[in-house]
Amino acid sequence: MQLTPLQQKRVDELLAKMTLEEKIGQMNQLSPSLVGGFDVSFEELIEMAMDGKISQEELHQKFENAERDYQEDNIRAGLIGCVMLQDPGKYNELQKIAVEESRLGIPLIIGFDVIHGYRSVYPIALAEAGAFDPDLFRRTAHMAAKESRTQGISWHFAPMIDVGRDSRWGRVSEGPGEDPYLASRFAEAKIHGLQDGAYEDAKDGTERRENYVAACMKHYVAYGAAESGRDYNTTSMSISQLHNVYLPPFKAATEAGAASAMASFNDLNGVPCTVNEYTLRRTLKERYGLKGFVVSDANAIRECIDHGIAADRYDAARQAANAGMDMDMGTSIYIEELKNAVERGDVSMEVIDEAARRILSVKMWLDLFDHPYITEEAMHRYDKLPQEHVALTLEAAKKSIVLLKNDEKVLPLKKDQKISLVGSLAASPSEIIGAWAMSWKGEDCVSILDGFKNAGADVKYFACGGPDREINDDEIAQAASFGDVIVAVVGETTAMSGEAASRADTTLPGKQRELLEKLLATGKPVVTILMNGRALALGWEAENLPTLIEGWQLGIQMGNAIASVVFGDYNPTGKLAASFPYVTGQLPIYYNHTSTGRPAGKFKFTSKYIDAPTEPAFPFGYGLSYTTYQYSDLTVEESVEAFTAKVKVKNAGNVAGTETVQLYMQDVTASLVRPVKELKGFTKVALAPGEEKEVALTLKKADMGFYNNDGEYVREDGKFRLFMGGSSAETLMQELDVRF
Ligand code: GLC
């Protein structure tokens, strides 16, 4: 986010005119409370949705019909700077009050959760990250920015870039997986996709301001390290771990120009991130140079009382403001307490001025002062989704699919085969969406059943069971009788991942494993497709299922994407952005672990379990193809600034494919123990059958260091290893003696 000198001057002049109350008003975000329109309480409604008593669509509709309190008088008085809203008509109405009826006419900024698409919903982040494709990450974000800005939303509470290593935590679905390097590439690409429209005229003739939004990287920071994988739980780690694992995506996003950040709910080393001066003011603002502002998560400032770090609302507001928290989401705690805190000298005027300036700067950068309203034309521009948006959601979906097993080469299927499609998830047009998407329309959604039909397959659907339903033996018998092959879709409902959806048992929920056993017992070939929001514990599946596809929750085009892979129109290219354990007890599990003094081995007294494997069922970076790739001849060349690793990759099969070649590094001996592997680069190579290419990846010497427990970045001479391969578990290796 970069202001012009004129924009900066306008911010300075406006700030000089503002009263203390008006400055604090900018620090106040309204989450309009639901005041009615429901036939049951809000809590009961959410429970009903979680228990599947009402569908996602019905929940959707009830929210749209609900009545809300928009605090118009507070907007008129300049006491609200931001509203969380998804309603273009209401947006113009509230904006008119702010701009034409308040004393200084400061426009509202409208924020909303647009995590993986607005109306053109694309794969959940955990899936999309597996495409290992920063250009794709950027393009999907830009599409979301275009669609949502025409609805009045100029600020996305996205990207979510929390590294997640424990899939008991439901919010792993929203983030880019277990690796800091991949998460950092994902983060910067999303920032560029959401924001860079500010710097170039759109090619489609739309107004420049309709091509970008302010990003809000979240949840800052280390939220994914919640103890036991339980949401909102405590986090505790060394300073080196914080800087080496959880901060890198936020550093990368800030360097890409992120306009804002959202602090996370968790306490970190004893201090809630909402009032953590080390992470907020000293690291994010001073060290990384955040230009925009920091917002709390919902109600998080008030929750500092529950954390036991604040005695009351006044104390919570005081601590948050002084730590560098610029905006309060949803509790009115700032407009109720901060004026008093300034007058009592507990919060300085400089703190208030800094917060107000940061917020005004983002609004000025968004062009809201000169163009606060949404035109009728813009509002209806995407009433019919443009074909290129639909095509992009399909492209993203295809690239996110991971082929885990194809032992008997049952895949790809032929369209003249009779297919029994089994599992309630297969016919659902809404469960394909995934957590944290609220703006989709049923008419745009393609279920897996729809996708098979669109592909011209001879397919018949038999529910037979599902994540939240009993097994139906009659339907299993019918499925076995009809189909030459059974395609079983199993996994999780949308409600089983995302916020407040931690699972203590991460195997397939319900009786789906039993369903699969019964399907295998029919003797018909079984192709299993997973539809889930986390890296499930797949021990039994890895051992017993010959054919397994990780289909994730791919958004509105899921059905067509899955069909294109199942029938071989698209040769799968996806890789895993997270390790899948055999059993839940292995969690947290991740490839970039340290060695320990007794690495797991045959000898009893080594670091392993007596009742489970040590390695994952499917590792980070893993993903098969309908062809096979052979790696050979790894060489490494040194230059002054870098090492360039080269490897030959051959397509040894009879179909064309695209492989993601990965580069890993190990700092073998250092002043702190370092991971056995760290991802340091990746690239794609397209290969025709029999074709061989040499692939080169460069590792800058500047990137071969790590952060120590003083938070300093250090590089140490000594032995290093470089690895290249098609997953974190299968690589060629070269040893180096490095002198920096
Ligand atoms: C939620 C989530 C956060 C979201 C915010 C606003 O509690 O933690 O990711 O952006 O509230 O909906």
Side-chain angles (χ1 to χ4, degrees):
M1 181 192 91
Q2 195 61 44
L3 272 69
T4 64
L6 175 59
Q7 286 175 325
Q8 194 55 62
K9 182 168 176 290
R10 291 176 67 183
V11 167
D12 294 344
E13 288 168 353
L14 178 57
L15 196 64
K17 295 177 193 162
M18 292 169 75
T19 65
L20 172 59
E21 288 87 344
E22 287 166 336
K23 292 173 184 173
I24 295 171
Q26 289 303 306
M27 301 167 70
N28 179 35
Q29 177 187 125
L30 171 67
S31 310
S33 48
L34 300 170
V35 289
F38 293 132
D39 37 15
V40 292
S41 78
F42 178 64
E43 286 69 21
E44 282 171 293
L45 188 64
I46 295 299
E47 293 287 344
M48 285 162 68
M50 295 304 176
D51 298 343
K53 292 195 178 81
I54 59 169
S55 71
Q56 296 282 324
E57 287 95 341
E58 286 167 318
L59 179 67
H60 219 47
Q61 199 51 50
K62 286 180 181 290
F63 267 110
E64 285 188 347
N65 300 339
E67 291 152 34
R68 289 171 170 76
D69 173 10
Y70 292 102
Q71 296 186 24
E72 285 85 347
D73 290 344
N74 275 339
I75 294 174
R76 197 168 285 112
L79 295 180
I80 292 177
C82 164
V83 178
M84 189 187 308
L85 186 64
Q86 178 208 357
D87 176 340
K90 177 58 76 176
Y91 163 75
N92 276 339
E93 186 188 316
L94 298 179
Q95 192 67 299
K96 192 168 165 57
I97 295 172
V99 170
E100 298 176 24
E101 298 180 33
S102 74
R103 189 176 77 87
L104 292 172
I106 299 172
L108 298 166
I109 182 171
I110 302 300
F112 199 71
D113 291 289
V114 185
I115 313 301
H116 53 110
Y118 185 70
R119 182 171 160 191
S120 300
V121 177
Y122 47 89
I124 58 171
L126 185 57
E128 191 188 17
F132 280 73
D133 186 342
D135 178 59
L136 174 72
F137 304 156
R138 181 188 55 75
R139 288 185 289 126
T140 49
H142 185 224
M143 172 176 69
K146 288 174 72 73
E147 288 186 4
S148 58
R149 190 75 191 258
T150 62
Q151 304 303 298
I153 296 167
S154 51
W155 181 34
H156 284 192
F157 303 142
M160 193 277 212
I161 51 178
D162 300 309
V163 168
R165 296 170 147 182
D166 188 330
S167 53
R168 289 174 291 182
W169 188 51
R171 302 197 79 165
V172 289
S173 70
E174 297 170 61
E178 71 189 42
D179 178 71
Y181 180 87
L182 177 60
S184 299
R185 305 294 73 77
F186 180 91
E188 61 198 15
K190 288 299 180 188
I191 300 301
H192 287 308
L194 291 173
Q195 299 192 167
D196 285 4
Y199 309 113
E200 58 206 6
D201 288 333
K203 296 173 181 57
D204 60 2
T206 53
E207 297 292 340
R208 180 179 291 198
R209 65 179 177 278
E210 296 166 342
N211 281 274
Y212 70 101
V213 296
C216 183
M217 55 182 167
K218 69 183 186 183
H219 304 79
Y220 186 74
V221 63
Y223 185 26
E227 190 173 278
S228 313
R230 201 170 75 238
D231 207 354
Y232 317 117
N233 204 2
T234 188
T235 63
S236 184
M237 64 189 71
S238 65
I239 290 298
S240 63
Q241 173 92 333
L242 179 63
H243 281 273
N244 289 318
V245 178
Y246 295 97
L247 280 169
F250 292 94
K251 181 173 186 290
T254 306
E255 288 164 357
S260 70
M262 182 184 295
S264 51
F265 287 118
N266 55 293
D267 59 275
L268 171 62
N269 298 338
V271 180
C273 290
T274 302
V275 295
N276 195 311
E277 188 179 1
Y278 175 76
T279 54
L280 291 177
R281 194 176 293 287
R282 296 206 334 254
T283 302
L284 185 59
K285 291 183 173 180
E286 293 170 4
R287 183 168 182 174
Y288 293 171
L290 179 76
K291 296 226 176 18
F293 63 89
V294 179
V295 64
S296 74
D297 205 332
N299 310 321
I301 297 178
R302 183 189 49 68
E303 288 168 10
C304 288
I305 301 168
D306 304 280
H307 273 290
I309 201 89
D312 52 30
R313 290 172 66 88
Y314 178 89
D315 191 20
R318 176 189 65 79
Q319 289 191 52
N322 286 331
M325 176 64 68
D326 302 308
M327 185 186 282
D328 157 46
M329 180 186 283
T331 68
S332 304
I333 205 167
Y334 272 3
I335 55 169
E336 289 167 3
E337 305 294 349
L338 279 188
K339 181 169 184 290
N340 187 16
V342 171
E343 287 162 355
R344 287 168 55 177
D346 288 338
V347 172
S348 71
M349 199 61 219
E350 288 70 32
V351 163
I352 304 297
D353 282 344
E354 181 210 336
R357 174 190 303 283
R358 287 174 175 271
I359 294 162
L360 292 175
S361 298
V362 174
K363 292 183 176 184
M364 189 64 72
W365 175 74
L366 284 167
D367 198 12
L368 288 172
F369 283 87
D370 297 337
H371 298 90
Y373 304 116
I374 296 297
T375 65
E376 273 300 308
E377 180 279 326
M379 214 181 278
H380 297 289
R381 186 173 302 153
Y382 299 114
D383 282 0
K384 183 175 177 349
L385 285 187
Q387 191 39 46
E388 62 268 24
H389 287 199
V390 176
L392 180 53
T393 56
L394 178 57
E395 176 192 348
K398 288 177 181 177
K399 289 180 174 178
S400 302
I401 295 168
V402 184
L403 178 60
L404 296 178
K405 291 189 74 180
N406 192 22
D407 293 354
E408 293 145 15
K409 302 292 180 254
V410 168
L411 288 173
L413 300 182
K414 296 175 185 54
K415 289 182 187 159
D416 59 1
Q417 287 177 278
K418 283 180 176 295
I419 295 169
S420 293
L421 184 62
V422 161
S424 59
L425 293 173
S428 168
S430 61
E431 294 297 354
I432 60 177
I433 295 294
W436 283 110
M438 279 83 77
S439 317
W440 49 275
K441 292 187 186 298
E443 67 202 66
D444 301 325
C445 295
V446 181
S447 70
I448 292 178
L449 176 57
D450 297 334
F452 277 38
K453 289 178 179 171
N454 293 342
D458 183 358
V459 61
K460 207 168 175 186
Y461 167 65
F462 307 87
C464 296
D468 47 7
R469 66 172 68 191
E470 291 302 314
I471 290 175
N472 183 317
D473 291 310
D474 293 343
E475 289 176 347
I476 292 173
Q478 292 163 36
S481 159
F482 171 79
D484 304 321
V485 61
I486 295 171
V487 176
V489 181
V490 293
E492 297 174 310
T493 63
T494 297
M496 292 175 178
S497 65
E499 184 173 0
S502 295
R503 292 180 64 210
D505 171 0
T506 57
T507 56
L508 280 171
K511 296 179 179 171
Q512 297 181 104
R513 192 171 275 184
E514 186 186 338
L515 170 60
L516 290 169
E517 284 173 327
K518 292 190 171 203
L519 294 172
L520 287 171
T522 66
K524 289 288 174 76
V526 177
V527 170
T528 303
I529 298 171
L530 298 171
M531 204 161 142
N532 49 297
R534 58 164 46 82
L536 297 167
L538 293 179
W540 179 87
E541 291 76 11
E543 301 294 327
N544 294 285
L545 297 176
T547 315
L548 186 58
I549 290 176
E550 177 51 79
W552 299 116
Q553 290 146 343
L554 297 173
I556 59 173
Q557 279 289 314
M558 177 155 192
N560 288 333
I562 291 289
S564 70
V565 165
V566 165
F567 295 109
D569 300 323
Y570 183 82
N571 183 2
T573 58
K575 301 283 186 178
L576 295 179
S579 304
F580 282 58
Y582 284 93
V583 294
T584 304
Q586 288 180 274
L587 295 172
I589 191 166
Y590 45 97
Y591 84 93
N592 38 4
H593 55 78
T594 56
S595 166
T596 79
R598 296 190 175 188
K602 289 190 175 40
F603 182 47
K604 174 178 172 57
F605 299 96
T606 57
S607 181
K608 60 177 187 271
Y609 303 99
I610 59 172
D611 60 350
T614 310
E615 293 310 308
F618 299 104
F620 174 85
Y622 172 90
L624 299 178
S625 164
Y626 289 144
T627 187
T628 51
Y629 301 106
Q630 288 170 351
Y631 286 76
S632 62
D633 301 331
L634 170 61
T635 60
V636 178
E637 292 161 16
E638 181 174 1
S639 66
V640 173
E641 300 296 326
F643 290 97
T644 297
K646 294 180 181 177
V647 72
K648 286 180 183 157
V649 187
K650 180 174 184 179
N651 178 340
N654 54 17
V655 289
T658 299
E659 167 72 323
T660 300
V661 179
Q662 301 151 48
L663 169 68
Y664 296 89
M665 177 194 91
Q666 181 186 13
D667 184 348
V668 179
T669 309
S671 57
L672 291 178
V673 295
R674 301 298 304 134
V676 295
K677 278 198 182 90
E678 297 175 70
L679 182 68
K680 291 291 183 180
F682 55 83
T683 188
K684 292 185 182 296
V685 58
L687 294 166
E691 186 178 14
E692 180 174 70
K693 287 181 183 172
E694 183 171 72
V695 176
L697 282 167
T698 296
L699 172 56
K700 290 186 190 136
K701 292 179 179 177
D703 296 334
M704 295 174 73
F706 61 91
Y707 290 90
N708 63 21
N709 278 313
D710 296 323
E712 295 158 350
Y713 188 73
V714 297
R715 295 181 305 160
E716 298 170 351
D717 293 355
K719 188 193 295 182
F720 282 76
R721 291 182 181 127
L722 292 189
F723 308 81
M724 287 185 87
S727 97
S728 60
E730 286 173 64
T731 53
L732 300 176
M733 186 273 286
Q734 281 279 334
E735 275 198 356
L736 309 168
D737 184 16
V738 179
R739 297 278 170 268
F740 290 111

